Amino acid sequence: MTFGDLANDPFPHRHLLGIEGLSAASITHLLDRADLYVEQSRQADKKQSLLRGRTIINLFFENSTRTRTSFELAGKRLGGDVINMQAQASSIKKGETLIDTAMTLNAMHPDVLIVRHPESGAVQLLSEKVDCAVINAGDGSHEHPTQALLDALTIRRRKGRLQGLRVAICGDITHSRVARSNIALLNIMGAQIRVVAPRTLLPAAIDRLGVEVFTDMAKGLEGVDIVMMLRLQTERMQGSFVPSIREYFHFFGLDYAKLANAKDDALIMHPGPMNRGVEIDTEVADDIDRSAIRQQVEMGVAVRMACLEALNRTPAVAPPTP
Amino acid sequence: MSERTLFINARLLDPAAKLDRTGELLVEDGRIAALGPHLARDGLGADIKIVDCTGYCLAPGLVDMRVQLREPGEEYQETLASGSAAAAAGGVTTMAMLPNTTPVIDEQALVEFVARRGREVGLANIRTYAAATKGLKGRELTEMGMLAEAGAVAFTDGTHAIADAVVMRRALSYASTFDLLIVQHPEEPSLAAGGAMTEGEIATRLGLAGITPAAEAIMVERDLRLVEITGGRYHAAHLSTAAAIEVIRRAKVRGLPVSCDTAPHYFALNETAVGEYRTFAKVSPPLRSEEDRKAVVAGLQDGTIDAIASDHAPQDQESKRLPFASAEPGIVGLETLLPLALELHHNRQVPLLDVLRALTQRPAEILRLPGGTLALGAAADFVVFDLDRPWRIETGKFRSKCQNAPYDGRPVQGRAIRTVLGGRGVFAAQA
């Protein structure tokens, strides 16, 4: 690749480790491509051969159904071979280090590694040790770039734009990689971002990340276009950050009363899995006019297809002639 | 027909208005309707009741921000009724009780129970703190938002320090979400463990395990670091040492959102009151050295110490008639709060209005309670007292169910003559 190509390359990156560092042009490119893949995925024949002969490994060190399945479908719809590895069940339990695992997999010549890991920074560490492209499918409380991209695609399709929208991200900001990726993406795309949470779930200096901070839902939701709810990540909590579920729901759970402060056509989003009655009222979650939660899942596959496409560098090896 | 009472010839004292002059105060339908040097008599009607306060002071009812009332759970030591009667006799019209009852006040129903029982008794405004951690165990936070909605004034683990630094950080941080106050018993428990009185020569001579005064400053200093990183509102209760008071003094200069109080025994007594193992002089934190006692007075003089609270802690005979180290700590204080605090005035240590401010305006401000002033339209909660007449404390005459106070026979000056709550007389001294 020459420099000239690099300048014209809409996605000049070897890996997708985070939103941080992407340009507005790269993000727009991915979203534009994903729009096309939404259409492809709605057809009866969903498959094409772009990634024919490519090996994609889903390497998950943390439980996941939704994200893993979404990546698997994305890979298969592009014609790639997808293998799923649930890592805590295998070598890691036997004491193999993360780098050992990376080296072992690298020897099998995969083309893309899709990695989720409970520790922040682990995916980047792994990416430095392998020859293939790496997609971060969530590392600790750091980044989950494809989630932010699918959220952006959902918003763009519903609202027609990202620029200038007022977005409230509500809930467990401290432990959320989704929040960090969304804050980064929405800032790059020119949206106005608010975070709303009890102080115990707001990390230090969060205001330095380009967000407005609220501890009161009614005030935080006032006039917003988008309400993003986050799950309480109890598995990442050491000790008590909130006193009880009922108190949390009372003050920070999204119900119609609190939602009334947002714009009339405000969109409700949630990265899933949802805890009904904790961060979101069941009726609100199922409100087909307001909730984009199921649409987010559909956009997930399309966005991941776009990402796999963007990272596909080498031309497909021609099948051996008989 | 509205009910009206006119208090005349009173020395009106209202620290919030810096008011100290002879005059009259009109109560109408339970509220302060007028006050001034001489109110117009026109149109007041013939049915008006007139109370002559010649020779007496009239000040806002005392707001006692730290009492233990033992109901629910240990009603043999004190009830909301007996505690309210003691408050009325002491000129206290509002008190905030600690959550260390049985069960612990850590859920809404108990906050509401205390408020309802307090209203039924009707001798004082009883407000309650709720526990900062469930069961006062120092681990999990309570439902502070909902407890505050139910009426909890602030959050504290009562006579226990919130010891774990992470829990304290989260408590301050979570409370700040709702702009709520955390009240700390500032004593590093690992340094205080097993101690019975303050560390020093007397403890050594008596062979009692001592508690270093540093246990207090260490906890306050740690807490202030946590206040700095969380922005939480913090109040240090019953300060007893020069070191801790100096720490608060510096924090206030730096503009941190902190306040503190002390109790009369920390400026009226020192460690010598323990004498020959007098368990009535056992308190937590313990009575300190003379140097510390003087520092408490100095803290009140310069306003570093915001409030004076009785720290009323009823203990029955069975809890006190024990070897010193085994005895429970605590002094009953509702009925001696006013005269002991007035010693600061009589000793020319603190101006009268400043003493009263620490008993009324400041605690009301810290807990964001109504009252503590003689403002027009405010509830008519006030005390008429004799500032100068000498008398001797007789613990046997306390209305509290317990008499555990080391003051029996102590000559004092200043006594409540009449206590008025919402315009109603709830106490009148026998002539």
Side-chain angles (χ1 to χ4, degrees), chain B residues 127-145:
Chain B
R127 300 296 299 268
T128 179
Y129 292 95
T133 69
K134 288 171 189 161
L136 306 175
K137 290 199 169 76
R139 289 195 290 270
E140 290 171 73
L141 302 182
T142 55
E143 298 171 326
M144 292 183 194

Side-chain angles (χ1 to χ4, degrees), chain B residues 259-281:
Chain B
S259 54
C260 66
D261 70 74
T262 191
H265 33 269
Y266 300 116
F267 57 77
L269 301 172
N270 65 23
E271 60 184 334
T272 61
V274 171
E276 292 292 313
Y277 306 101
R278 288 176 71 205
T279 59
F280 278 6

Side-chain angles (χ1 to χ4, degrees), chain B residues 16 60-61 63 93-94 125 360-365 368-374 378-379 381:
Chain B
V63 177
T93 53
T94 297
N125 301 312
T360 59
Q361 180 194 355
R362 286 301 292 137
E365 285 169 351
R368 298 186 177 168
L369 294 174
T373 78
L374 297 177
D381 296 348

Side-chain angles (χ1 to χ4, degrees), chain A residues 22-207:
Chain A
L22 298 187
S23 64
S26 289
I27 291 167
T28 304
H29 168 74
L30 290 175
L31 299 183
D32 290 347
R33 295 297 300 161
D35 262 330
L36 299 176
Y37 285 122
V38 172
E39 299 315 313
Q40 183 189 319
S41 294
R42 284 177 181 173
Q43 289 163 13
D45 185 358
K46 302 177 176 60
K47 195 143 173 158
Q48 55 145 292
S49 57
L50 181 76
L51 298 184
R52 188 162 155 214
R54 303 289 194 282
T55 302
I56 298 163
I57 301 181
N58 259 337
L59 177 59
F60 277 56
F61 294 90
E62 229 180 32
N63 284 325
S64 162
T65 312
R66 171 185 318 245
T67 306
R68 202 204 61 216
T69 310
S70 183
F71 270 112
E72 186 176 351
L73 272 178
K76 285 180 169 165
R77 283 181 186 171
L78 290 175
D81 296 319
V82 185
I83 292 166
N84 289 318
M85 281 191 59
Q86 198 64 40
Q88 74 259 48
S90 61
S91 7
I92 296 299
K93 279 272 162 70
K94 296 174 200 149
E96 191 175 81
T97 68
L98 178 65
I99 291 169
D100 290 338
T101 307
M103 299 310 281
T104 306
L105 292 174
N106 196 44
M108 299 177 193
H109 300 293
D111 297 283
V112 184
L113 271 178
I114 296 162
V115 187
R116 169 170 288 191
H117 196 281
E119 288 187 70
S120 302
V123 179
Q124 187 191 320
L125 175 66
L126 191 142
S127 76
E128 289 161 5
K129 306 291 172 192
V130 296
D131 301 318
C132 64
V134 173
I135 297 180
N136 181 1
D139 64 323
S141 302
H142 176 226
E143 280 244 37
H144 189 356
T146 57
Q147 179 70 44
L149 288 163
L150 75 88
D151 287 342
L153 182 62
T154 309
I155 296 169
R156 205 178 71 165
R157 288 173 68 99
R158 292 285 282 259
K159 298 286 177 194
R161 66 195 165 105
L162 293 165
Q163 171 92 33
L165 289 181
R166 210 173 273 166
V167 183
I169 305 175
C170 312
D172 186 356
I173 310 292
T174 294
H175 301 99
S176 177
R177 53 196 176 209
V178 175
R180 284 171 179 75
S181 287
N182 265 314
I183 290 168
L185 187 147
L186 292 165
N187 266 318
I188 293 166
M189 301 310 284
Q192 294 175 34
I193 311 156
R194 300 172 173 187
V195 294
V196 190
R199 293 249 178 238
T200 41
L201 296 178
L202 290 167
I206 184 71
D207 55 312

Side-chain angles (χ1 to χ4, degrees), chain B residues 401-422:
Chain B
K401 280 197 172 185
C402 292
Q403 284 83 46
N404 54 299
Y407 303 122
D408 198 32
R410 183 182 179 106
V412 287
Q413 283 172 279
R415 186 172 204 175
I417 298 297
R418 188 183 278 272
T419 305
V420 176
L421 180 76

Side-chain angles (χ1 to χ4, degrees), chain B residues 309-344:
Chain B
S310 72
D311 214 357
H312 184 77
Q315 298 289 359
D316 63 2
Q317 292 284 346
E318 305 319 306
S319 309
K320 284 288 192 184
R321 233 178 342 198
L322 289 168
F324 195 86
S326 307
E328 291 291 336
I331 291 176
V332 282
L334 277 165
E335 292 164 78
T336 51
L337 175 61
L338 181 63
L340 293 173
L342 288 174
E343 286 185 357
L344 296 163

